[in-house]
Amino acid sequence: DAGVTQSPTHLIKTRGQQVTLRCSPKSGHDTVSWYQQALGQGPQFIFQYYEEEERQRGNFPDRFSGHQFPNYSSELNVNALLLGDSALYLCASSWGTDFSLNTEAFFGQGTRLTVV
Amino acid sequence: GNSVTQMEGPVTLSEEAFLTINCTYTATGYPSLFWYVQYPGEGLQLLLKATKADDKGSNKGFEATYRKETTSFHLEKGSVQVSDSAVYFCALRSGGYKLSFGAGTTVTVRA
């Protein structure tokens, strides 16, 4: 089992550019969440995708958008990059909709984005 | 809203010392509580969890008890090893799908 895979591992972009980050969920998982982890901070929830739709969103501007494909993989897009967008972007996958089952979220190793 | 406050680090210990990392939370409803660990260069891994009051989560010698009366979920380990050096995050989930994390505590164990 490959677990959650993210690409690329590192990325350097210039202010104002656009970036796309990719995530493949763990086998058997159908839900993908994205988190932003600034240096020295805990991860902050960006949004979650299920059945190709955004199910919940955190406090992030519309410059952050996403997509989920029929094979459950997902992309995170960030437009008009700011220096403050420099962070580790983590993808987490899980299964199902019923959190009373307390399904575990599995995290990828992340994409380190540097905006210069 | 939901929030997690955890003990600031860094924490430096000698091998076989006792480790405690304090975590308190504010949440609506009845949250599930988690401890995640992040080893250098890696993503987050679930260490343990508790889903209701008085539950005790345990894994790899680590333990944490869900205390509703004190809104706490402190992490403990009786005898740490060098391999326990990592960043530890307390987190909760309540009334939705997102995890809310604390700022993390860096733990360094010296041989």
Side-chain angles (χ1 to χ4, degrees), chain B residues 9-90:
Chain B
V11 174
T12 302
L13 303 165
S14 298
E15 253 188 332
E16 300 184 2
F18 184 86
L19 170 68
T20 298
I21 304 176
N22 290 338
C23 171
T24 57
Y25 67 88
T26 301
T28 55
Y30 303 94
S32 295
L33 302 174
F34 307 83
W35 277 100
Y36 280 84
V37 59
Q38 188 172 37
Y39 298 104
E42 298 186 13
L44 298 174
Q45 299 176 26
L46 179 64
L47 183 59
L48 54 83
K49 66 180 182 183
T51 59
K52 61 183 185 296
D54 300 324
D55 268 2
K56 177 184 284 188
S58 61
N59 186 28
K60 299 181 181 180
F62 290 89
E63 293 184 341
T65 301
Y66 188 142
R67 300 289 188 197
K68 187 178 178 182
E69 63 274 15
T70 55
T71 61
S72 65
F73 192 55
H74 305 321
L75 182 68
E76 297 182 336
K77 185 174 185 181
S79 178
V80 294
Q81 305 300 312
V82 172
S83 58
D84 294 324
S85 298
V87 183
Y88 293 82
F89 292 94
C90 185

Side-chain angles (χ1 to χ4, degrees), chain A residues 35 37 42 45 56 99 102 108, chain B residues 38 43 49 89 93 97 99 102:
Chain A
Y35 290 81
Q37 186 180 10
F45 177 78
Q56 187 176 8
F99 277 98
N102 296 303
Chain B
Q38 188 172 37
K49 66 180 182 183
F89 292 94
R93 186 173 62 215
Y97 303 100
L99 287 163

